[in-house]
Amino acid sequence: MSKPIVAIVGRPNVGKSTLFNALAGEKISIVKDHPGVTRDRIYADVTWLTNQFTMIDTGGIEPESKDLMLSHMRQQAQIAIETADVIMFIVDVRQGLVDADFKVADMLRRSSKPIVLVVNKVDNFDKFMPDVYEFYNLGIGDPHPVSAASKLGLGDMLDEVIKHFRPEDMTEEEDERPRIAIVGKPNVGKSSIINKLLGEDRVIVSDIAGTTRDAIDTTVKYHGKEYIFIDTAGLRRKNKITEDLERYSIIRTVTAVERADVVVLVIDASEGVTEQDAKIAGIAHERGKGIIVAVNKWDAIEKDDKTIYKHTNKIKEVLAFMPYAEMIFISALTGQRLNKLFDLIEQVIQNQNLRIATGVLNEIMAEAVALQQPPSDKGKRLKLYYITQVAVKPPTFVIFVNDKSLMHFSYTRYIENKIREAFGFAGTSLKIFIRERKEKE
């Protein structure tokens, strides 16, 4: 199921990021973390009542600014608007209605997307409601007063947002064909790979980085089976754009990954794996997708008997948070090993859907506990009662214990490794949840 996309849009300093953080439940838009599973991001999964959606924060829009940075931010906000199913237009009750609000409203109206007008910084409803009514002049519907900082009025606002979700967004897609997202930085050969698989130039290929501006779905048939390949716009290099602006170019990647079963991260062999590649991989890792790292342009590399070994070690070092990822060295130009890519995709899909019987899982866990005693704290030792698999895509497990505070991350990883030793699960992450169960008297 593909979650609806909700974009938060508005002028600078109207409280978009504050609202984003309030809805996401944590300050993820301002917290830094190590490269890879990045926490400095502009998207988050939000649940309201029984509805789930992906929320995107955007840079402030200055409609007529000549400033290069603001111009880029406006372009990236436009991408978010095009991608979104619903737009939340944020305005500031304390600044009042300004000329730029009318221009942003015109820009949003042209998108023909559902718009929810949100008047922020209404910390006192009795005091500010007369000022809220002024925003009716924008002509885009009822204004919804909120205070992102004080978390006031958010429920009514979200009720209005979910009214605009289409029924087809909330149901499972009937199309059972595997969906493969091709992601990576610009100019690494994503479109060239799809064209080689198709045998025709259906996707525009250019040496100019960023030629592919939209995600494109392409049907590829291999050995009688159809696959949907999703080509995406790449991410910009850091030396070409500032870090803050770079964040906005992940929007297409996030939405493509959300729709995919398997993600193929394309890396340029001549450049090697980069921190930016790790950020893209982190998006797929967090969403529990199947992951294949495809090192493209392998034909252009001078090789000796240690070349693949060196490249593999470097990739594993940078992508250390996802050691399960499958890896393949290819050339879109010559077609080298592209047929092997389908074999890997099939293998990863099977692993994503693999179910393990509860009895077998508990045998593995019992053996693991016998080999390495669970941790203890202040005389109390962790007890693992039983483990069961509760879901696939990704394979998800629940372990019942006496005290989950004793279940250290390292011991959870140890159990995961034992499961992988027995069943492989190559190319897919495993989710493990810990639940407490009181010991019977």
Side-chain angles (χ1 to χ4, degrees):
M1 183 172 68
S2 179
K3 297 189 188 80
I5 306 292
V6 177
I8 297 179
V9 176
R11 294 183 295 104
N13 303 316
V14 294
K16 295 184 302 299
S17 291
T18 304
L19 179 61
F20 176 83
N21 289 334
L23 296 178
E26 52 180 326
K27 294 185 178 179
I28 59 177
S29 65
I30 59 171
V31 178
K32 301 286 184 179
D33 201 359
H34 58 81
V37 188
T38 177
R39 298 294 175 193
D40 180 23
R41 63 189 181 193
I42 59 154
Y43 64 94
D45 292 328
V46 177
T47 300
W48 177 244
L49 304 177
T50 59
N51 298 274
Q52 293 185 328
F53 60 91
T54 297
M55 180 174 55
I56 298 172
D57 191 11
T58 66
I61 303 176
E62 288 283 9
E64 295 183 345
S65 172
K66 299 294 191 290
D67 181 270
L68 182 61
M69 176 59 65
L70 291 172
S71 174
H72 280 307
M73 290 164 71
R74 184 168 61 244
Q75 291 171 10
Q76 295 300 334
Q78 185 65 52
I79 291 174
I81 291 164
E82 292 168 3
T83 306
D85 298 295
V86 181
I87 298 163
M88 292 170 59
F89 177 25
I90 316 301
V91 292
D92 185 342
V93 74
R94 294 175 185 269
Q95 293 180 21
L97 188 57
V98 299
D99 187 50
D101 287 328
F102 284 100
K103 290 173 179 172
V104 174
D106 287 339
M107 175 181 173
L108 297 180
R109 199 179 286 110
R110 285 194 296 272
S111 73
S112 300
K113 298 288 179 73
I115 301 167
V116 177
L117 177 59
V118 180
V119 184
N120 192 25
K121 304 184 184 178
V122 183
D123 301 311
N124 184 317
F125 279 50
D126 292 336
K127 178 180 177 182
F128 288 108
M129 280 312 290
D131 299 317
V132 170
Y133 298 137
E134 178 186 14
F135 291 92
Y136 273 107
N137 290 311
L138 290 171
I140 53 175
D142 297 334
H144 297 271
V146 304
S147 169
S150 303
K151 298 184 179 179
L152 298 174
L154 301 188
D156 290 343
M157 175 194 72
L158 289 172
D159 285 343
E160 184 63 26
V161 169
I162 64 176
K163 283 180 186 176
H164 297 288
F165 292 168
R166 296 171 301 177
E168 56 265 36
D169 291 330
M170 310 309 297
T171 57
E172 294 290 337
E173 297 175 8
E174 292 181 7
D175 193 342
E176 294 297 321
R177 292 176 294 178
R179 292 182 175 269
I180 319 299
I182 307 291
V183 302
K185 298 188 302 182
N187 217 27
V188 295
K190 300 186 297 296
S191 298
S192 297
I193 289 171
I194 293 177
N195 285 337
K196 194 69 175 182
L197 295 174
L198 281 168
E200 57 180 291
D201 290 339
R202 183 177 299 186
V203 182
I204 297 170
V205 177
S206 167
D207 288 335
I208 303 169
T211 304
T212 311
R213 298 192 178 274
D214 299 299
I216 302 168
D217 285 9
T218 305
T219 302
V220 178
K221 184 177 284 189
Y222 181 75
H223 286 176
K225 182 173 180 177
E226 288 190 349
Y227 301 80
I228 304 295
F229 278 80
I230 307 165
D231 187 17
T232 59
L235 304 197
R236 299 172 183 267
R237 295 180 182 85
K238 277 200 171 182
N239 61 354
K240 291 192 176 180
I241 203 161
T242 69
E243 183 175 357
D244 282 344
L245 179 52
E246 182 184 88
R247 294 163 63 220
Y248 304 127
S249 57
I250 68 172
I251 293 169
R252 294 255 187 248
T253 301
V254 172
T255 52
V257 167
E258 187 73 63
R259 295 171 53 216
D261 300 302
V262 177
V263 174
V264 177
L265 170 63
V266 183
I267 292 173
D268 188 327
S270 58
E271 280 189 36
V273 64
T274 66
E275 178 184 318
Q276 193 65 7
D277 293 318
K279 286 186 176 182
I280 306 171
I283 296 169
H285 171 76
E286 284 190 332
R287 279 160 160 67
K289 302 297 182 177
I291 300 177
I292 297 170
V293 178
V295 185
N296 191 28
K297 307 182 185 179
W298 193 240
D299 57 302
I301 297 294
E302 290 187 19
K303 304 173 190 68
D304 56 33
D305 58 346
K306 295 185 176 63
T307 306
I308 278 192
Y309 175 79
K310 289 176 182 175
H311 274 75
T312 300
N313 280 356
K314 179 61 177 176
I315 290 168
K316 286 185 175 179
E317 180 184 321
V318 176
L319 305 182
F321 58 91
M322 41 180 277
Y324 57 83
E326 286 286 14
M327 207 175 303
I328 187 171
F329 295 84
I330 63 173
S331 167
L333 184 64
T334 67
Q336 182 184 14
R337 295 196 191 92
L338 277 185
N339 60 323
K340 298 288 186 186
L341 181 59
F342 284 102
D343 296 337
L344 269 186
I345 287 170
E346 276 301 313
Q347 180 185 333
V348 171
I349 289 171
Q350 287 177 16
N351 287 334
Q352 278 257 299
N353 289 280
L354 186 59
R355 283 191 181 274
I356 311 300
T358 299
V360 177
L361 282 171
N362 281 281
E363 286 177 14
I364 295 169
M365 189 173 75
E367 183 179 330
V369 169
L371 289 171
Q372 184 172 320
Q373 197 174 43
S376 63
D377 184 46
K378 297 177 182 176
K380 186 175 184 180
R381 185 166 298 281
L382 172 69
K383 291 182 182 179
L384 283 69
Y385 296 129
Y386 67 96
I387 179 173
T388 186
Q389 185 175 354
V390 295
V392 295
K393 297 176 66 174
T396 304
F397 305 89
V398 175
I399 301 176
F400 291 87
V401 301
N402 62 330
D403 186 344
K404 65 180 182 181
S405 67
L406 296 173
M407 188 71 169
H408 193 269
F409 168 78
S410 60
Y411 202 76
T412 304
R413 177 59 57 87
Y414 166 68
I415 297 294
E416 176 184 332
N417 289 339
K418 289 299 181 183
I419 295 172
R420 287 189 183 278
E421 283 177 19
F423 295 99
F425 283 112
T428 181
S429 64
L430 303 183
K431 302 290 185 187
I432 298 181
F433 295 97
I434 311 301
R435 296 285 184 266
E436 282 186 10
R437 193 192 76 177
K438 297 303 179 183
E439 197 166 4
K440 292 181 180 178
E441 294 292 335

